[in-house]
Amino acid sequence: MAAVLGRVTSRIADFLRDHAPLLRKLQWGIVAIYAFLLIVPAVLPLPDNSASVFNNLTIVAQFAFWGVWWPFVLISMPILGRAWCGWLCPEGMLSEWASERGQGRAIPKWMRWGGWPFVAFALTTVYGQLVSVYQYPLAVLAVLGGSTVAAMIVGWRYGRSKRVWCKYLCPVNGVFNLLAKLAPWHFKVDEEKWRHPVIRIETINCAPLVPLRHMKGAGDCHVCGRCSGYRGAIALTPRSPEEEIVHVADGDAWQTALLCFGLMGIAIGAFLWSASPWYVTAKQWAATWLVEHDIMWPLMDNAPWFILTHYPDVNDSFSWLDGAGILMFVVGATVVVGGASFLSLWIADRLAPAAPAQDAPATRWIRPGVHKLAQALIPSAGIGVFLGLSATTVNLLKHEGVQAAWAGPVRFTLLTLAVLWSLRLFARLLKQRPVSGLRKAAAWLVLTAGLAPFCLAWVFFFAIW
């Protein structure tokens, strides 16, 4: 069975390699649809309460971007790897197209900084909430359109026929990198065949800048198929979905930050604030205090739409207090939920440290073993973001009169399965550590406790959404 599956995946990769022009035409078609849905609704009047997906282009675009596109692009990563990036992504395609015609400059050192995936995700997520990116086409144009223009500028200026933006600056690159580690196949490199090539030794262009000879996992690969069969050493190969996390990926400080404080902190705050009674109570208290002290400017809603939501025609405008409240809520969620998950990793690594040869000197406060354990959070963190994005899908379906009683049980099931998967990965990672079974069990219990605030936050979300 494994041999048959291996031959099928290899043929798929060869098809992608041999039909690159067809794939490029498909990408241009996606670009056309993307541009239409991005630009046209932004110049149309805002829809009224009677508008629906059947009679209003703005609602169609909203459903396409936030009800279908992003939730299911996200869920495709642990199923297909980063095939979205290599086959369909309009931003990646436009960045590479601009790079083919650009200046071809060397990639600057500042762009190679490892913290950009976390910083870009955090800034984009928070800014999207401040301008209500899920509700208004102008905000979509600012966030998605701005990112696309930046991708093209970076592509035109740096690299030659490369996706420099995708490699270093894309706001979702870090998220996709993590989720693709769960993919049940990857391009595997045979080191022996690489050293003694028998076919295809001509140069190939790896647009996402993956070091092919030393490629071990699926995190950076865009599954475009260009390298399939290269030197007779690279083939798309089935594998266990746990293979990369348990045996390959070591993680690093920025990936741990993205998992704990990004996907399990900032994202949860961004999804929960609008439905949280704590946010409403805190804002009312702050507003009362400001009025009592005759400080009125924070209550004004005079910020432009590209800084804070400002659509007075539909009675939806954020005051400066609203903006500050959103930021504080997101920070609070990051500290409570993300902080709990990170603290549990740190304690567990102290209880069950990795082998000395794989670890850093004891004087380091955060040892590499913490980052290895953090990789087990990928299923939970990923499903959390999917649940948040799919809430828009459910709401749009409700608006169209579709019954959504199924949503609660499905959400709870997905969350449960993802958390159980993370706990299983924790157990497999701890099994590799040279300590007693009692210490491993204690570490596993600590890691389980660290997921409790994350689970409670989503249960709360299910109850009120």
Side-chain angles (χ1 to χ4, degrees):
M1 183 64 182
V4 173
L5 186 58
R7 286 195 296 270
V8 171
T9 56
S10 181
R11 288 174 182 172
I12 292 172
D14 289 346
F15 177 87
L16 293 171
R17 179 197 66 203
D18 298 335
H19 294 82
L22 178 62
L23 188 61
R24 177 60 68 95
K25 290 177 182 177
L26 175 63
Q27 291 170 336
W28 275 118
I30 297 295
V31 167
I33 297 171
Y34 172 74
F36 179 79
L37 294 178
L38 192 66
I39 296 171
V40 175
V43 300
L44 295 176
L46 290 174
D48 56 29
N49 292 332
S50 64
S52 79
V53 73
F54 299 106
N55 60 24
N56 189 277
L57 180 61
T58 299
I59 303 298
V60 170
Q62 183 184 13
F63 187 79
F65 281 128
W66 308 116
V68 178
W69 191 315
W70 281 109
F72 290 96
V73 165
L74 197 73
I75 209 68
S76 76
M77 294 296 153
I79 299 172
L80 299 173
R82 298 184 65 168
W84 161 261
C85 300
W87 302 355
L88 301 173
C89 179
E91 198 165 278
M93 188 271 176
L94 288 170
S95 185
E96 184 179 352
W97 176 81
S99 181
E100 291 169 353
R101 293 154 178 79
Q103 296 178 331
R105 296 192 180 189
I107 302 171
K109 185 177 180 180
W110 66 265
M111 194 178 291
R112 299 174 184 270
W113 178 53
W116 285 122
F118 172 77
V119 171
F121 173 82
L123 293 178
T124 303
T125 301
V126 173
Y127 179 68
Q129 295 303 305
L130 296 177
V131 298
S132 298
V133 72
Y134 300 147
Q135 286 79 38
Y136 296 107
L138 279 177
V140 176
L141 184 62
V143 175
L144 298 185
S147 177
T148 301
V149 170
M152 294 182 69
I153 292 173
V154 169
W156 176 77
R157 190 166 179 82
Y158 301 110
R160 177 64 67 189
S161 300
K162 302 298 182 184
R163 297 189 175 195
V164 176
W165 169 267
C166 305
K167 175 72 172 181
Y168 297 107
L169 299 178
C170 174
V172 289
N173 171 54
V175 179
F176 290 172
N177 181 297
L178 291 169
L179 294 178
K181 295 179 181 183
L182 300 173
W185 39 60
H186 73 134
F187 278 95
K188 185 176 181 179
V189 182
D190 188 315
E191 294 282 352
E192 182 63 25
K193 290 182 179 180
W194 185 284
R195 288 192 292 269
H196 303 94
V198 292
I199 58 173
R200 293 199 74 214
I201 59 174
E202 70 276 11
T203 302
I204 60 172
N205 172 42
C206 181
L209 298 158
V210 179
L212 296 179
R213 180 172 184 174
H214 304 291
M215 179 169 57
K216 299 295 185 184
D220 292 319
C221 175
H222 286 194
V223 201
C224 64
R226 299 178 196 181
C227 66
S228 181
Y230 181 59
R231 300 173 73 94
I234 302 180
L236 187 62
T237 306
R239 64 174 185 173
S240 164
E242 298 181 352
E243 174 70 21
E244 187 165 345
I245 291 176
V246 176
H247 299 295
V248 178
D250 290 326
D252 57 45
W254 285 113
Q255 287 192 350
T256 300
L258 181 58
L259 281 164
C260 295
F261 300 109
L263 302 181
M264 300 181 71
I266 293 171
I268 283 182
F271 291 131
L272 290 184
W273 73 265
S274 61
S276 172
W278 303 320
Y279 169 79
V280 174
T281 300
K283 192 180 78 170
Q284 290 176 342
W285 175 87
T288 301
W289 186 90
L290 290 169
V291 171
E292 289 175 349
H293 290 78
D294 198 28
I295 304 174
M296 306 304 295
W297 69 264
L299 305 177
M300 299 177 66
D301 59 355
N302 57 352
W305 66 267
F306 53 85
I307 294 179
L308 292 174
T309 300
H310 186 75
Y311 301 94
D313 293 344
V314 292
N315 298 315
D316 189 10
S317 296
F318 286 176
S319 67
W320 296 101
L321 177 61
D322 289 322
I326 293 169
L327 292 175
M328 292 303 296
F329 189 92
V330 171
V331 169
T334 303
V335 171
V336 174
V337 181
S341 63
F342 178 78
L343 183 61
S344 71
L345 294 171
W346 187 87
I347 295 174
D349 184 63
R350 296 284 165 168
L351 287 171
Q358 302 172 3
D359 212 344
T363 54
R364 291 188 59 176
W365 184 67
I366 302 176
R367 301 181 298 195
V370 170
H371 309 314
K372 179 68 175 179
L373 284 175
Q375 299 290 296
L377 293 172
I378 293 174
S380 296
I383 205 64
V385 178
F386 173 76
L387 292 174
L389 288 172
S390 63
T392 302
T393 310
V394 174
N395 281 341
L396 289 169
L397 291 175
K398 287 180 179 178
H399 181 73
E400 301 302 327
V402 177
Q403 295 296 319
W406 51 268
V410 170
R411 288 165 169 169
F412 185 79
T413 300
L414 290 174
L415 178 65
T416 301
L417 291 174
V419 170
L420 289 175
W421 193 0
S422 287
L423 294 178
R424 169 182 161 83
L425 289 170
F426 279 138
R428 292 195 65 185
L429 292 173
L430 289 170
K431 187 177 180 180
Q432 299 173 345
R433 303 201 166 191
V435 296
S436 67
L438 183 61
R439 291 176 70 91
K440 291 176 183 177
W444 187 85
L445 290 174
V446 168
L447 293 166
T448 303
L451 283 170
F454 171 80
C455 295
L456 290 174
W458 283 113
V459 170
F460 171 75
F461 180 84
F462 300 157
I464 62 178
W465 198 271

